[in-house]
């Protein structure tokens, strides 16, 4: 009988990384590995790292060091880095962090079981030399689908990608994926990579050019997730508004969304990562009028001052962005909108910052992320000469963050009195006495946009979508009273 092998996956970063981890879990389980939740109970701890910004990279290093501390004190024998930071830095990370027993790139994912076994046996798998993954695919999007079969695309795996004679544990029709938690929410990848050339962003260099998954794969994976008890799926990629362009139909998302919404068991479909410059009237219509599609807009504005946006290699301005929001809310007044912004970008003036503040004040966003600019290796902006002093960047970050906190709290207060439809995500005792419940409304994505706290958890169960009346706020969070007599309900009523 083969020796029992255990592995734990520790995931950092975005929802795309979470999908990648579940694909790795599917590959490992299919080859006989036992998945465990705690790294201290695993022979191998696999840390799926984030390589986006300095803070995320630091968190990834800390997680690797924390896992390394388990060696010699329990079952853990090896710590392995995968994910974006591992792909982006390869040998450099391995040399700087000898505590990691292996640093594996995306090209290693198909053979992850063999790689971990080699490392567990004391062998060495050479860390890869990073390369610009944009150069692995044709420049023309229309030529990428066939070429993509030979390029590692994490999160795109299918059972046919497993070694001969190895089948997914959950059945031959299941996707190459194994859920790592029992949440009623799961992400589904629409695509990988990005063709945009934002001057501050390094992601395309290590995630590659944009390539869509085929609609049949997205639909089948969503059906499988519904069979696992998932009630809400969130569609993720580096840029969902580009979905289908390499399949010959830039409006493919508008076609597929109603099909996803009709899958038995799926009660809410959420689309993330939308580019304002690529928003189309037809896509807005589908997102604001289709039953079971959340009227939710995760729009990547980044700034609103024209000169800063041009330096970022982006498009738009305050007035055009506000017009876009007016269009959305004219169709769905309760639509949720969130965005991220960079302050202190090279060359940003006080007038530019004031323009951003004007936009934020008029935009009525439900959630706002603010980041201070920092150089990223290999980006165009890192070569710019007109950098701001760090103390100026820090002051502007604090200033805009305070404004953002005030504005999202005000936006939450505007929702008092509204009826919202909340997916219950947890129900439990509070301080060992009362029963409480927490969930998310249609305008709130997992982990990033706040939550809804119910006034009572009585009669609520995890995975149920409940109609509720907003009766108060706590910062960005809502406090709501469940209206249990009105069930069942759908997202249609939230419009």
């Amino acid at each position: 009988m083969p020796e029992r092998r255990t592995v734990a996956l520790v995931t950092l970063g975005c929802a795309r990384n979470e999908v990648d981890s579940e694909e790795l879990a599917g590959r490992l389980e299919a080859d006989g590995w036992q998945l465990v939740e705690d790294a201290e109970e695993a022979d191998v701890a696999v840390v799926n790292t984030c390589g986006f910004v300095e803070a995320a990279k630091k968190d990834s290093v800390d997680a690797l060091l924390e896992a390394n501390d388990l060696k010699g004190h329990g079952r853990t024998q090896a710590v392995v880095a995968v994910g974006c930071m591992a792909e982006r830095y390869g040998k450099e990370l391995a040399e700087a962090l000898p505590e990691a027993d292996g640093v594996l790139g995306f090209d290693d994912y198909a053979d992850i079981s063999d790689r971990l076994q080699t490392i567990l046996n004391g062998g060495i798998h050479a860390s890869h030399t990073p390369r610009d993954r944009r150069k692995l695919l044709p420049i023309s999007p229309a030529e990428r689908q066939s070429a993509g079969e030979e390029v590692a695309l994490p999160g795109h795996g299918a059972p046919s990608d497993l070694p001969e004679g190895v089948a997914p544990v959950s059945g031959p029709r299941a996707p190459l994926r194994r859920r790592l938690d029992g949440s009623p929410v799961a992400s589904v990848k629409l695509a990988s990579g990005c063709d945009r050339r934002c001057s501050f962003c390094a992601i395309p260099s290590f995630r590659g050019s944009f390539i869509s998954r085929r609609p049949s794969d997205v639909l089948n994976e969503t059906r499988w997730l519904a069979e696992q008890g998932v009630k809400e799926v969130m569609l993720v990629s580096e840029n969902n508004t580009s979905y289908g362009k390499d399949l010959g139909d830039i409006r493919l998302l508008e076609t597929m969304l109603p099909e996803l919404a009709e899958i038995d068991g799926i009660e809410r479909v959420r689309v993330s990562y939308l580019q304002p410059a690529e928003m189309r009237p037809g896509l807005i219509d589908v997102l604001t009028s289709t039953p079971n599609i959340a009227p939710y807009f995760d729009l990547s504005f980044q700034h609103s001052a024209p000169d800063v946006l041009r330096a970022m290699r982006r498009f738009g301005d305050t007035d055009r962005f506000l017009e876009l929001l007016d269009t959305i809310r004219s169709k769905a007044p309760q639509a949720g909108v969130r965005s991220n912004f960079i302050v202190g970008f090279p060359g940003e003036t006080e007038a530019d910052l004031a323009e951003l503040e004007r936009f934020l004040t008029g935009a009525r966003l439900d959630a706002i992320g603010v980041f201070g600019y920092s150089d990223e290796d290999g980006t165009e902006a890192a070569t710019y000469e007109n950098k701001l002093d760090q103390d100026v960047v820090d002051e502007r970050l604090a200033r805009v963050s305070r404004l953002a906190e005030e504005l999202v709290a005000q936006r939450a207060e505007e929702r008092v009195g509204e009826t919202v439809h909340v997916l219950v995500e947890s129900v439990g005792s509070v301080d060992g006495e009362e029963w409480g419940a927490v969930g998310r409304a249609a305008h709130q994505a997992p982990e990033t946009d706040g939550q809804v706290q119910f006034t009572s958890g009585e009669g609520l169960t995890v995975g149920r979508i409940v109609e509720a009346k907003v009766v108060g706020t706590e910062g960005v969070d809502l406090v709501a009273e469940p209206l249990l007599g009105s069930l069942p309900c759908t997202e249609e009523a939230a419009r």
Side-chain angles (χ1 to χ4, degrees), residues 219-293:
L219 289 163
N220 287 337
E221 184 165 326
T222 302
R223 293 186 186 101
W224 178 80
L225 288 168
E227 293 171 357
Q228 309 301 305
V230 169
K231 299 300 181 184
E232 175 181 324
V233 293
M234 184 166 73
L235 304 180
V236 300
S237 75
E238 279 72 23
N239 177 11
N240 282 335
T241 35
S242 282
Y243 179 71
K245 71 176 186 178
D246 51 324
L247 295 171
D249 185 359
I250 191 60
R251 294 176 176 80
L252 192 56
L253 183 57
E254 291 96 298
T255 303
M256 188 173 65
L257 280 172
E259 294 184 64
L260 286 166
E262 292 176 356
I263 292 175
D264 287 344
I266 297 299
E267 298 187 42
R268 179 184 289 163
V269 178
R270 184 183 304 278
V271 184
S272 62
Y273 306 119
L274 301 168
Q275 288 291 339
E278 298 181 31
M279 289 301 294
R280 307 175 289 275
L283 180 56
I284 294 174
D285 287 343
V286 170
L287 289 172
T288 55
S289 64
T290 308
N292 288 359
I293 301 293

Side-chain angles (χ1 to χ4, degrees), residues 18 42 92 218 241 248 270 283 295 304 310 318 324 327 336 381 421 435:
E18 294 172 4
E92 182 182 345
V218 176
T241 35
R270 184 183 304 278
L283 180 56
S304 73
R310 301 307 173 266
T318 295
L324 172 61
T327 298
H421 295 80
W435 282 84

